[in-house]
Amino acid sequence: MSDKLVYVLNGPNLNRLGKREPAIYGSQTLDDIGAMLAERGRLLGASIVLFQSNHEGDLVDWLHEAQDAGAHAVLLNAGAYTHTSIALLDAIRSITVPVIEVHLSNPHTREGFRHTSWVGMAAKGTIAGFGAQSYLLALEAAVALTTDS
Ligand code: DQA
């Protein structure tokens, strides 16, 4: 059986992981997380495509691309756009590929403006608060998804 294609989309400031507020986001870089995902993906039969952009429209385009590429699932850490972007909400609703919302931190334990998630309104589910492990947990959940789950 061929590998399940999983898109991993990362929004603004996540290119700064490792240097950015390590007490909140940890010391691993996005490259480290990509390597962890690729390794776990090999075990689970998933091939990972990882993107990061600081621009909202790129994330919209990659959600559409995930559909066109026949992706099995998308892991989306939209960073601060999570809390502001109706364009991302609409983009998730414009595709049938399941999207799993991912966060390193747990936004619900933080400032009030992080308690709203437009992404979460359309996502299949959310994994937050486990640092870099959130991505691995989300990958496990993504691979386990079936068309009727
Ligand atoms: C984040 C949480 C967001 O509130 C924040 O804006 C980020 C990172 C996380 O992974 O914990 O940029 O998505």
Side-chain angles (χ1 to χ4, degrees):
M1 220 175 62
S2 61
D3 273 5
K4 291 173 175 163
L5 178 62
V6 177
Y7 269 49
V8 181
L9 305 182
N10 296 277
N13 301 305
L14 293 166
N15 55 313
R16 307 268 316 153
L17 281 184
K19 298 194 270 280
R20 172 194 184 197
E21 298 184 272
I24 297 175
Y25 299 117
S27 57
Q28 279 162 307
T29 66
L30 194 56
D31 281 348
D32 294 335
I33 291 172
M36 284 165 52
L37 284 168
E39 190 186 331
R40 185 67 59 89
R42 273 193 292 278
L43 296 173
L44 295 173
S47 63
I48 309 299
V49 175
L50 185 138
F51 292 123
Q52 187 278 330
S53 176
N54 296 323
H55 306 281
E56 189 177 8
D58 288 340
L59 297 167
V60 171
D61 288 344
W62 289 328
L63 285 163
H64 300 166
E65 182 186 305
Q67 175 87 48
D68 296 341
H72 176 75
V74 175
L75 314 188
L76 173 61
N77 184 350
Y81 291 141
T82 303
H83 318 297
T84 62
S85 179
I86 295 167
L88 283 177
L89 167 67
D90 285 349
I92 296 167
R93 287 187 174 157
S94 82
I95 62 174
T96 58
V97 182
V99 174
I100 300 179
E101 178 186 14
V102 179
H103 300 286
L104 295 137
S105 66
N106 179 355
H108 292 286
T109 63
R110 301 180 63 195
E111 303 96 324
F113 60 81
R114 295 183 204 275
H115 298 179
T116 297
S117 172
W118 297 100
V119 165
M121 241 171 258
K124 178 80 186 162
T126 300
I127 297 180
F130 299 97
Q133 290 289 328
S134 291
Y135 285 82
L136 294 178
L137 293 167
L139 179 60
E140 302 253 358
V143 169
L145 284 173
T146 57
T147 42
D148 52 3
S149 64

